Amino acid sequence: MSERWGVLLMAYGSPEKIDDVAAYFTHIRGGRPPSPEAVEDLKERYRRIGGRSPLFEITYRQARALEDHLNDSEERWRVYVGMRHAPPFIRETIAQMKNDGVQRAVGLALAPHYSRMSVGAYIEAAQQALREIQSSIQIGFVESWHLHSLFLKALSERVRLGLERFSPQERRQLIVVFTAHSLPERILSWNDPYPRQLLETSQAVAERVGLTQWRFAYQSAGHTPEPWLGPDLLDILKELGDEGDKTLLVCPVGFVADHLEVLYDIDLEARRRAEELGIHLERTESLNDDPQFVAALTAIVREHSHIL
Ligand code: FEC
């Protein structure tokens, strides 16, 4: 049998239960414990989406589907999940890969757009683990895949389906707002590609679907004193409401699964704000383990495996 190859599939991670929220939040903050009020606020958001985020299960469904697709032609791949902020942490997963004798792997973060603060941090966590574990696994990291044709195809299909939720009359004046997680504005001073890549994905999807009216907004900005990238989705809603634009399809291009930032920040918070403003807001369905999206992940891994 030919040599076994691994995929290190990296995702954000999620607290398993409400009692794990404080530890999870502390990890996100690089070890600085948040205030008890901030922890309570976050717990409440998890309670509002049913007590738990579906991110963990969805990530595993994506991993299983990816492994099945990769092994369609040749039984050589094993897909490993490593999380950035919750178990199984990237480090534990790399230790497992070492134990299993994996020698070559593709490292892929489930975030299509590169920022030093997102994908860069996933890669850094993996590289640090490789050093600490003294592993010689050769991992080729994918830095971004925001313009991969199959990813754009899957996203465009989601937008087309989303448009069908509106009446033909509403569709004539509808605006699509593409969104992604905000980051602190200081990333601009590093010439970070994140904002450019987000606009490139949005533009490409808009062209494929033939959208004439679209905007881009950030969402889920942190509550810290430093400025975060804008415009914020909630401000855009206000602006559109003031201008009399009353139909809006939100497409979170920066996320590839249902989780807190989608289910709370868009489906509950933004939707409530939209209702107050008399706006009909719908959201495109998340990519999750949609076969078209899994086909995109498969192609990205295969294309990257050539450089291993
Ligand atoms: O469903 C879940 O349980 C987890 C959902 C989740 C995803 C996610 C993705 C991204 N984040 C990004 C950046 C930041 C920065 C900070 C930050 C903070 C949080 C907090 C929660 C959280 N994030 Fe997240 N993020 C998710 C969840 N994120 C919870 C805690 C703060 C709060 O919401 O009240 C600020 C860190 C700090 O304070 O120092 C920065 C980026 C992404 C998209 C890329 C990716 O998925 O990796 C960027 C999913």
Side-chain angles (χ1 to χ4, degrees):
M1 196 185 80
S2 53
E3 185 191 355
R4 277 215 161 231
W5 285 7
V7 176
L8 173 63
L9 192 66
M10 297 177 285
Y12 201 82
S14 182
E16 198 192 324
K17 49 188 188 307
I18 290 287
D19 284 350
D20 297 337
V21 166
Y24 172 71
F25 200 172
T26 303
H27 192 276
I28 289 178
R29 289 167 46 87
R32 290 172 297 123
S35 68
E37 296 75 32
V39 173
E40 199 37 55
D41 172 73
L42 184 54
K43 283 183 176 176
E44 185 51 26
R45 279 183 275 148
Y46 279 106
R47 283 190 201 104
R48 293 280 308 279
I49 63 160
R52 194 165 184 275
S53 165
L55 182 63
F56 185 89
E57 280 75 16
I58 293 170
T59 305
Y60 274 89
R61 290 212 311 267
Q62 290 169 327
R64 274 196 300 272
L66 172 60
E67 190 173 272
D68 286 349
H69 265 67
L70 283 169
N71 287 329
D72 252 2
S73 49
E74 219 183 348
E75 277 282 317
R76 105 179 341 222
W77 292 93
R78 175 138 180 221
V79 178
Y80 293 82
V81 170
M83 309 277 189
R84 191 171 153 206
H85 294 301
F89 286 103
I90 290 170
R91 190 183 193 284
E92 299 161 24
T93 303
I94 292 184
Q96 181 66 50
M97 291 166 80
K98 184 184 177 193
N99 280 345
D100 290 351
V102 175
Q103 281 163 359
R104 290 165 204 267
V106 173
L108 177 64
L110 285 165
H113 308 89
Y114 184 91
S115 165
R116 203 165 100 189
M117 287 188 81
S118 65
V119 176
Y122 286 86
I123 296 175
E124 177 50 37
Q127 282 169 336
Q128 194 182 335
L130 286 170
R131 284 192 297 273
E132 286 171 8
I133 298 166
Q134 297 185 336
S135 162
S136 60
I137 307 174
Q138 193 189 329
I139 305 185
F141 291 100
V142 183
E143 294 208 333
S144 54
W145 38 279
H146 69 293
L147 286 178
H148 194 282
S149 59
L150 294 181
F151 168 59
L152 296 177
K153 187 175 168 204
L155 257 183
S156 303
E157 190 53 29
R158 288 303 208 228
V159 173
R160 279 190 205 101
L161 289 173
L163 294 176
E164 287 173 13
R165 298 200 193 154
F166 297 87
S167 68
Q169 197 185 352
E170 280 182 311
R171 247 178 272 159
R172 277 197 284 278
Q173 36 146 9
L174 177 134
I175 296 187
V176 174
V177 180
F178 297 101
T179 65
H181 203 294
S182 183
L183 283 174
E185 253 180 39
R186 71 188 133 94
I187 70 156
L188 300 178
S189 66
W190 311 330
N191 215 3
D192 198 271
Y194 187 69
R196 174 180 55 77
Q197 293 191 351
L198 287 166
L199 283 179
E200 285 173 352
T201 302
S202 308
Q203 172 86 48
V205 172
E207 275 169 18
R208 278 172 178 250
V209 181
L211 302 176
T212 47
Q213 301 202 85
W214 64 273
R215 309 260 313 244
F216 177 82
Y218 288 98
Q219 59 165 93
S220 319
H223 306 283
T224 61
E226 67 179 328
W228 286 64
L229 294 173
D232 190 89
L233 175 61
L234 300 179
D235 296 331
I236 293 268
L237 287 181
K238 167 96 179 58
E239 213 181 285
L240 295 177
D242 288 348
E243 287 166 9
D245 292 312
K246 300 295 185 197
T247 39
L248 202 111
L249 177 64
V250 177
C251 174
V253 284
F255 299 128
V256 298
D258 283 326
H259 49 62
L260 186 72
E261 316 297 71
V262 171
L263 301 176
Y264 185 87
D265 295 358
I266 300 177
D267 290 0
L268 294 177
E269 192 181 43
R271 199 182 291 269
R272 192 187 55 218
R273 184 71 62 89
E275 272 166 18
E276 286 164 7
L277 294 160
I279 296 174
H280 177 189
L281 181 151
E282 297 283 348
R283 167 177 69 77
T284 54
E285 240 183 82
S286 297
L287 293 170
N288 295 333
D289 57 349
D290 174 79
Q292 281 199 12
F293 178 53
V294 176
L297 294 177
T298 308
I300 293 163
V301 169
R302 284 226 171 94
E303 284 157 24
H304 221 77
S305 67
H306 295 310
I307 61 159
L308 288 179

